[in-house]
Amino acid sequence: MSTSKAQVLIDRNRTIAPISPLLFGGFAEHMGRCVYEGIYDPKSPHADERGFRNDVLDALRDQGYTTIRYPGGNFLSGYNWLDGVGPKDQRPRVRELAWQSTETNQFGTNEFMEFCKAIQAEPMLGVNMGTGTIQSAADLVEYCNVAQGTRWSDLRASHGVREPHNVRYWCVGNEMDGPWQIGHLDAASYGNKALEAAKVMKMQDPTIKTILCGSSNDRMPTYPDWDRTALEIAWEDMDYLSMHYYAGNGENDTASYLASAVLFERYVDALEGTLRYVKAKRRSKHDIYLSWDEWQVWYKGDPTQGNWVEAPHLAEETYNLEDALVVAQWLNVFLRKSYALKIACVAQIVNTISWLHTRPDGLLKHPSYYAFKLVSNLARGDALDVHVKSPNVETRHYDAVPSLDVSASYDLETQKGALFLVNRSQTESVPTDLVWQDGQTLKIDQAWQLAGTDPKEVNSWDAPERLVAKTIPLPPVDGGRATINLPPLSFTVLTTCAV
Ligand code: AHR
């Protein structure tokens, strides 16, 4: 056991930025069993009168999702939104090309809005920039956001939805840089199409916020030029730049994998730099922020092609402890980068690439579920710039990195703070001094830990609670200082309140 100590210095005046509530979003795509058998399963004994699974709704509420991005994903680029509205018995069954599945269209835009209301999340809709036109994009904005008296708003009313949905956030396409994308475009062609689409969408409703497709990941040969080019063209009509990234331990190099936050931070830094460059180049007063609207661990290799069946099992990953610790670091990065990053959506919320799995008789929560739940429910107010002095761990990909990965928040209104601490060492406990430097008299009033001894440990249907966040004894605070021993392979969350 190492005696090498760490110190975390916290000052509620040393703020980074307000934490955008939309950082705790999710993504629901018509892919695999995310929508059908996940959210919507009218034949399930768990279904409510609308066909939504109650146990899934409860779990999503428990995780505090603030926004949900829908309907894709690659699915979006072949989707005709008109197929998914109106009487259900008249909706077409279609061949869904992106995931080679059969799409019944029994769940569409209005069902999605109802679902968002049920979990109190802000909807974030995508418009098809693959097979779709700027006209179909503008029409969908009209269908959703215009009160009445015109072709598409009256169509919505005839579908039983009198009040407009007033959707504020709109993704202008999905991963259009990817050759796999239906209707893939080069950066300039996409930039021009996205600009024209955003223009007509904002003519329909000037209050909406638009999200430009950025690179699909930092390994794309066109990254980051794609982002720069599309931004230079569409800058004034866009409000966010989309980022996507899926992490994994494909090389079974756990030390490097557990240092993934380094990679996540570099990715944000590069795109934030690109935003600053384009703003300067365009002599613009307008700001664009980052929307990390697909992020998750995904590498274990479940198939992604559905053999033309309905709701096939696609990309259903079993997540282990090391995956959960990577998720916790991802959330730490969101807080540390909260000056640039304003939206984030985990991909996806149930079954497909998800830490939540359904079976006809129940629900399984993988360990990452608990990491997300803790941060999304407790990070409030401003993100704090904590100073961390920590022993290092050696990694093959990133050399030496600190054992501790930390973020913090403080809410001036409630005077409540939260600290999120990952110990990424696989072998060493780290005794850690917590020092509040601003003189506030406080105490630690809640403490949780998600920890284990084996990075590959999982929850299963037979042992569903092997890895959950457990409460731990509250470290006493004396004179603005406390000490806590952080075990290896752990995520610890502490909250503070004034006394
Ligand atoms: O979330 C699964 C897929 O990953 C999405 O459809 C696509 O945008 C990304 O490549």
Side-chain angles (χ1 to χ4, degrees), residues 167-235:
V167 178
R168 191 167 158 82
Y169 296 93
W170 292 83
C171 300
V172 186
N174 175 72
E175 292 189 352
M176 295 302 293
D177 62 324
W180 60 85
Q181 200 66 214
I182 296 170
H184 156 69
L185 295 170
D186 62 53
S189 309
Y190 168 67
N192 285 312
K193 184 168 180 183
L195 172 66
E196 296 308 315
K199 241 164 65 182
V200 286
M201 291 164 74
K202 287 185 171 179
M203 284 172 180
Q204 285 284 12
D205 180 353
T207 68
I208 65 169
K209 300 288 176 197
T210 47
I211 301 155
L212 182 74
C213 293
S215 293
S216 297
N217 58 65
D218 65 351
R219 300 179 302 274
M220 297 298 290
T222 47
Y223 164 83
D225 268 348
W226 163 279
D227 305 78
R228 179 187 55 76
T229 307
L231 282 167
E232 282 183 17
I233 296 168
W235 184 268

Side-chain angles (χ1 to χ4, degrees), residues 8 258-262 264-265 325-333 336 386 388 390 402-407 419-425 486 490-492:
V8 178
L258 287 175
S260 291
V262 175
F264 304 153
E265 301 219 60
L325 297 177
V326 168
V327 163
Q329 289 175 54
W330 224 318
L331 296 160
N332 280 345
V333 170
R336 295 199 293 262
V386 287
V388 182
S390 151
S403 298
L404 299 192
D405 185 80
V406 185
S407 72
L419 263 177
F420 307 98
L421 308 117
V422 175
N423 181 3
R424 50 163 69 103
S425 169
L486 299 172
S490 64
F491 177 46
T492 304

Side-chain angles (χ1 to χ4, degrees), residues 27 29 31 73-74 99 174-175 244 246 294 298 347-348 353:
F27 169 44
E29 176 168 12
M31 173 182 178
N74 297 343
W99 307 114
N174 175 72
E175 292 189 352
H244 290 182
Y246 292 93
E294 284 187 34
W298 180 15
Q348 299 186 10
I353 336 174

Side-chain angles (χ1 to χ4, degrees), residues 54-374:
N54 271 315
D55 52 353
V56 172
L57 293 182
D58 285 345
L60 300 177
R61 289 187 197 109
D62 182 48
Q63 289 172 92
Y65 281 110
T66 50
T67 183
I68 305 290
R69 175 174 178 255
Y70 172 87
N74 297 343
F75 170 84
L76 175 66
S77 298
Y79 183 52
N80 180 354
W81 64 266
L82 279 165
D83 289 348
V85 293
K88 287 191 177 179
D89 59 358
Q90 290 168 30
R91 297 187 195 173
R93 283 170 64 82
V94 298
R95 275 162 74 87
E96 198 290 293
L97 300 180
W99 307 114
Q100 311 245 308
S101 310
T102 295
E103 172 57 52
T104 64
N105 283 305
Q106 294 303 292
F107 187 99
T109 304
N110 294 318
E111 288 77 25
F112 171 67
M113 297 301 161
E114 198 58 42
F115 161 71
C116 284
K117 267 189 217 138
I119 63 165
Q120 291 190 309
E122 173 112 39
M124 184 170 160
L125 276 186
V127 294
N128 176 351
M129 289 287 104
T131 59
T133 60
I134 66 169
Q135 182 70 59
S136 64
D139 294 347
L140 181 57
V141 176
E142 182 183 324
Y143 181 89
C144 289
N145 287 12
V146 171
Q148 61 179 7
T150 59
R151 175 164 33 158
W152 301 111
S153 59
D154 285 347
L155 181 68
R156 185 196 67 241
S158 78
H159 294 157
V161 186
R162 295 215 68 77
E163 294 304 315
H165 295 304
N166 293 324
V167 178
R168 191 167 158 82
Y169 296 93
W170 292 83
C171 300
V172 186
N174 175 72
E175 292 189 352
M176 295 302 293
D177 62 324
W180 60 85
Q181 200 66 214
I182 296 170
H184 156 69
L185 295 170
D186 62 53
S189 309
Y190 168 67
N192 285 312
K193 184 168 180 183
L195 172 66
E196 296 308 315
K199 241 164 65 182
V200 286
M201 291 164 74
K202 287 185 171 179
M203 284 172 180
Q204 285 284 12
D205 180 353
T207 68
I208 65 169
K209 300 288 176 197
T210 47
I211 301 155
L212 182 74
C213 293
S215 293
S216 297
N217 58 65
D218 65 351
R219 300 179 302 274
M220 297 298 290
T222 47
Y223 164 83
D225 268 348
W226 163 279
D227 305 78
R228 179 187 55 76
T229 307
L231 282 167
E232 282 183 17
I233 296 168
W235 184 268
E236 297 297 335
D237 280 279
M238 292 294 164
D239 301 288
Y240 299 88
L241 174 71
S242 163
M243 309 169 60
H244 290 182
Y245 195 83
Y246 292 93
N249 189 5
E251 297 171 10
N252 198 18
D253 172 1
T254 293
S256 297
Y257 183 47
L258 287 175
S260 291
V262 175
L263 184 155
F264 304 153
E265 301 219 60
R266 284 181 193 162
Y267 192 23
V268 174
D269 287 345
L271 289 173
E272 204 240 331
T274 309
L275 291 176
R276 288 185 195 212
Y277 169 84
V278 177
K279 181 176 177 179
K281 184 168 178 191
R282 289 197 50 125
R283 276 54 175 172
S284 175
K285 291 202 165 67
H286 178 62
D287 279 310
I288 292 190
Y289 294 97
L290 296 173
S291 168
W292 202 328
D293 44 44
E294 284 187 34
W295 67 270
Q296 180 55 297
V297 173
W298 180 15
Y299 69 104
K300 291 176 183 160
D302 219 25
T304 54
Q305 298 294 297
N307 214 14
W308 305 113
V309 302
E310 290 175 27
H313 285 245
L314 300 184
E316 300 201 6
E317 304 266 296
T318 298
Y319 293 119
N320 57 27
L321 176 59
E322 64 183 14
D323 299 326
L325 297 177
V326 168
V327 163
Q329 289 175 54
W330 224 318
L331 296 160
N332 280 345
V333 170
F334 292 167
L335 296 202
R336 295 199 293 262
K337 298 293 180 189
S338 54
Y339 55 92
L341 197 59
K342 300 294 177 188
I343 302 176
C345 305
V346 65
Q348 299 186 10
I349 55 173
V350 57
N351 288 329
T352 309
I353 336 174
S354 179
W355 49 59
L356 193 64
H357 281 163
T358 59
R359 259 189 352 195
D361 60 341
L363 203 60
L364 178 64
K365 297 167 181 168
H366 298 282
S368 325
Y369 176 100
Y370 301 97
F372 183 87
K373 174 185 162 173
L374 283 169

